[in-house]
Amino acid sequence: KDVQKEREPHVYLTKEEVKEKIQSYNSSVTDKLKMTLNANGIYTGFIKVQMELCRPITVQSSQSQGRCAPSNKETAFYLPDGCVNTLHISSTNTVREVIEALLKKFFVADNPAKFALYKRCHKEDQVYTCKLSDREHPLYLRLVAGPKTEMLSFVLREHETGEVMWEAFSIPELQNFLRILDKEENDQLQILKNRYAAYRGKLEEALRGVLKPG
């Protein structure tokens, strides 16, 4: 169930409270992804983000990442369902910075403005998905909720604005979308042709049986 973001007040914890919560968090961790409190009061840790993208993403070629001149070669493809990525972040990192880091980690060339980060949590035997504002801090939410993803998990989706933000896409991306749509249209057309060809064959076979001289 998707709901509007509830404006939950950010509780500012003292350094001692943060230390206690981190100790409690680390004692419950089962995957070794623990949090670390630094002397300046900033803490670091890991979050897992599930990718739930309906549209294809554009990925830069590995050649354009080296020291040589960029090749400007990009590839668009659909990300497999259920893909989960792990990020190491700090308590100062915002939602917007997490999205940018996640895209940069996997050489995604798409505009970060196309994406939004959501939190998914359980309340009263129901699952709620709420969009996070750009200035929220995911690691703080992870610390408060504890390490269990059943209590809280993060999901990356396309921005839900009611309409697709076509102006945020580049010309190569739009051309790739057209090619994908053409392929899907041709595939569906071929399925229909095969279906009606099979019907026609059965009808012709039935007619031959009826018209066959007795």
Side-chain angles (χ1 to χ4, degrees):
K1 180 180 179 181
D2 288 356
V3 298
Q4 293 294 324
K5 170 72 180 100
E6 299 175 1
R7 296 301 172 187
E8 301 173 356
H10 186 105
V11 179
Y12 291 94
L13 305 174
T14 65
K15 187 175 180 179
E16 188 61 33
E17 289 173 330
V18 170
K19 182 178 179 180
E20 292 177 0
K21 281 188 173 295
I22 290 177
Q23 290 175 344
S24 175
Y25 182 97
N26 290 341
S27 65
S28 302
V29 166
T30 58
D31 54 10
K32 298 182 180 181
L33 300 181
K34 297 184 178 182
M35 292 194 187
T36 302
L37 178 62
N38 300 316
N40 58 5
I42 296 174
Y43 51 97
T44 59
F46 298 85
I47 62 168
K48 294 181 179 180
V49 181
Q50 183 169 348
M51 316 290 276
E52 292 186 355
L53 305 179
C54 299
R55 294 189 291 272
I57 59 173
T58 303
V59 177
Q60 297 175 351
S61 66
S62 57
Q63 293 180 352
S64 63
Q65 303 300 322
R67 296 182 180 178
C68 300
S71 65
N72 293 327
K73 185 177 181 181
E74 297 179 346
T75 304
F77 65 93
Y78 284 100
L79 203 64
D81 292 335
C83 180
V84 177
N85 293 301
T86 302
L87 281 180
H88 184 255
I89 63 174
S90 79
S91 55
T92 62
N93 289 133
T94 63
V95 164
R96 181 51 46 188
E97 290 172 334
V98 166
I99 293 175
E100 292 173 354
L102 187 63
L103 299 181
K104 183 178 180 180
K105 179 179 179 181
F106 296 95
F107 306 134
V108 177
D110 298 82
N111 189 337
K114 299 177 188 177
F115 305 95
L117 193 67
Y118 291 75
K119 71 172 183 178
R120 181 176 291 157
C121 53
H122 289 72
K123 290 183 180 179
E124 299 176 354
D125 298 328
Q126 290 191 355
V127 180
Y128 293 86
T129 303
C130 303
K131 180 181 174 182
L132 298 174
S133 67
D134 286 348
R135 294 185 179 182
E136 291 190 78
H137 299 85
L139 195 61
Y140 167 80
L141 298 176
R142 178 79 280 162
L143 176 63
V144 172
K148 293 184 179 180
T149 55
E150 294 82 4
M151 298 302 297
L152 172 73
S153 59
F154 296 105
V155 181
L156 184 71
R157 293 179 177 175
E158 289 92 352
H159 243 304
E160 295 180 358
T161 59
E163 295 183 0
V164 179
M165 301 171 60
W166 296 115
E167 65 276 7
F169 293 86
S170 65
I171 296 299
E173 288 177 310
L174 295 174
Q175 291 173 338
N176 278 324
F177 292 161
L178 287 175
R179 282 193 288 269
I180 291 171
L181 288 175
D182 287 340
K183 183 180 184 303
E184 291 179 350
E185 181 181 6
N186 291 332
D187 290 344
Q188 292 298 320
L189 183 60
Q190 189 59 47
I191 290 173
L192 287 174
K193 287 182 177 180
N194 293 340
R195 182 182 301 171
Y196 282 103
Y199 290 159
R200 180 176 297 140
K202 292 180 180 180
L203 286 172
E204 291 175 348
E205 183 180 353
L207 285 172
R208 286 194 296 269
V210 172
L211 298 178
K212 184 176 181 181

